Amino acid sequence: MNEFKIGLMSYLGREKLEKLGKVKVGIAGAGGLGSNCALHLVRSGFKNLKIVDFDVVEPSNLNRQFFFLDQLGRPKVLALKENLARINPDVMIEAIQQKVDRNNAKQLFDDCDAVVEAFDKVECKTMMAEAFASSGKFFVCASGLAGWGNSDEIRIRKVHDRFYIVGDFVTGVKEGIPPISPRVNIAAAKQADLILSFFLDDADNTVNVNCQEG
């Protein structure tokens, strides 16, 4: 057992840490939401992730995504795999450099217990919701997290026991309202915390959070 796991076990205990280690989480997109959600999941004890993204690290990513200057030009999934292994060298990251679309989404994440939607474009978010809202997997997506300020407006909406949406549901990325680290990270952390709560806290697999129904 490495030192990271020893340290985390002092908070969670062996049983809970082993429980999280058996969960496989799929992340669709390795940008601001996906890379930071993965960071929080690994720091929380999850070690089995499948991350799918076709893109490479660009300078405009560095203001909010879990990448570094010396990783510019590298595939995001490979750079992220490397960074997550620096937290816990025992992580099992399946890094797939591929575009997720409505023809392959279900197949790509078929072996996952939970799925995170972490895309920028509304049409991609809609596609993921259509694929996983009633899949039986725990599914969490995001809507509205651009700009700065009013961070308390980033909240959780429960659709049903296995489908949650995080965001302010209004503020999309557009000219003059860019994606900036604090609000993006708040949303990513809430996504990770929903997954943690679902698989860790509640024996009946219900999420114990304050959220908006509907």
Side-chain angles (χ1 to χ4, degrees), residues 2 6 30 36 43 45 47 54-56 59 63 66 75 79-80 84 103 110 114 122 134 167 174 183 192 197 205:
N2 65 53
I6 291 171
N36 287 300
R43 289 197 187 278
K47 67 176 185 179
F54 71 94
D55 212 351
V56 298
N63 78 311
F66 184 39
L80 184 55
L84 295 172
N103 295 317
D110 182 62
V122 173
S134 302
K174 59 184 179 181
R183 282 173 58 94
S197 179
N205 272 358

Side-chain angles (χ1 to χ4, degrees), residues 24 50 94 106-113 137:
K24 185 169 187 177
K50 175 184 281 190
E94 188 176 353
K106 289 184 177 180
Q107 180 181 359
L108 281 169
F109 299 105
D110 182 62
D111 59 342
C112 297
D113 303 296
K137 302 179 187 298

